[in-house]
Amino acid sequence: MDRRMFCESIGVIGATIGTAGCLGVLGDGGVEGTVLGPPEQDLSEATHPSYGDEMPHFTVPDPITNEEISISEYESEQAILWTSFYTNCPDGVCPALILRLRRAQEAAAEEGFSSEAVFLAQTFDPERDTAETLREYAGQQGVNLDANNWHFLRPESYERGQELLDEHFGLIIEKAAADQYDDLEYQFPHYGLILLANKQGIVERAYPRGPQTDIERLVSDVERVSTV
């Protein structure tokens, strides 16, 4: 993917990408290979993948299932809903991201398309997010690990996680001091990005304000893309 510049950059700890004021409205015709029409906001100048781009290909371990999860294995099989997070997030951004993936997972079960979609939550804090921690977090957040359509992705190291997010998603992750929190050694200024890709591996929606994304709208997008 070509490296592109965001209209606005992240400003404070836990802030998500700002896009207001720099987005245009696209026409009515969709990009070839997509299910949904163009989004209301044009994110084509962002560094992250957006509407019509190819979903990045990479392989990351799932420490709970002991599998190597490759994005390419889902092509022609399942739609993908992806985000990045860490379990020690102190400001509510990451729980809000996981909530949206979890609600989509619930809808898939209720509407009968569980096998048509996969939900991928990639930690960028593998030092603290062990298999045990992620399993406990899944219980806290209401994630159904037994549905066989959810994977926590855990890079082999912090450095590998940085590389993956920078190279494939244009997201820069750096540890920062957490002096304002008594129970945290470090935290991350991070992005609240969610990506939805169709079964052909084409990005249908990028939700850069992931924690604020309307849940019903996201769930509707996931259902439409998954059931084609």
Side-chain angles (χ1 to χ4, degrees):
M1 178 185 67
D2 292 337
R3 298 303 303 273
R4 298 167 293 182
M5 297 301 295
F6 280 115
C7 296
E8 297 176 8
S9 61
I10 186 168
V12 294
I13 300 296
T16 54
I17 296 167
T19 53
C22 65
L23 302 176
V25 178
L26 296 177
D28 294 331
V31 172
E32 183 177 357
T34 59
V35 176
L36 304 178
E40 295 176 359
Q41 298 178 322
D42 180 4
L43 295 172
S44 60
E45 295 303 313
T47 58
H48 61 71
S50 62
Y51 181 70
D53 288 336
E54 184 178 4
M55 182 69 182
H57 284 198
F58 56 91
T59 300
V60 183
D62 177 337
I64 295 177
T65 63
N66 292 315
E67 297 176 79
E68 292 286 328
I69 304 300
S70 295
I71 295 300
S72 59
E73 71 184 76
Y74 298 113
E75 289 191 5
S76 301
E77 299 292 335
Q78 291 170 288
I80 296 171
L81 193 64
W82 173 96
T83 196
S84 61
F85 80 109
Y86 70 120
T87 64
N88 279 278
C89 180
D91 52 27
V93 170
C94 294
L97 293 169
I98 298 301
L99 169 64
R100 281 151 178 78
L101 267 68
R102 190 258 292 173
R103 289 288 293 274
Q105 185 193 40
E106 290 176 346
E110 293 167 358
E111 301 301 326
F113 64 94
S114 288
S115 63
E116 303 298 317
V118 65
F119 306 93
L120 305 178
Q122 181 173 333
T123 178
F124 41 79
D125 189 17
E127 296 170 348
R128 294 183 293 193
D129 288 346
T130 63
E132 181 179 354
T133 298
L134 291 170
R135 188 182 296 277
E136 181 179 352
Y137 190 73
Q140 294 170 350
Q141 301 299 321
V143 172
N144 184 1
L145 294 178
D146 295 326
N148 296 319
N149 61 3
W150 184 290
H151 292 284
F152 283 114
L153 305 182
R154 179 177 180 264
E156 296 87 343
S157 66
Y158 164 58
E159 292 76 17
R160 176 57 177 156
Q162 285 183 302
E163 178 184 334
L164 283 168
L165 289 178
D166 183 12
E167 178 180 346
H168 296 297
F169 297 94
L171 305 180
I172 305 301
I173 299 296
E174 295 283 352
K175 290 180 181 179
D179 298 337
Q180 68 270 44
Y181 301 105
D182 294 335
D183 57 346
L184 280 184
E185 178 184 355
Y186 59 87
Q187 62 178 329
F188 294 90
H190 63 95
Y191 304 92
L193 176 67
I194 300 174
L195 291 180
L196 171 62
N198 64 32
K199 295 177 183 179
Q200 304 309 313
I202 304 300
V203 174
E204 294 277 0
R205 287 290 184 266
Y207 310 96
R209 297 183 183 272
Q212 290 83 40
T213 299
D214 182 81
I215 293 176
E216 290 187 5
R217 183 173 184 178
L218 182 145
V219 168
S220 176
D221 289 345
V222 173
E223 182 172 4
R224 288 178 61 195
V225 168
S226 301
T227 54
V228 172

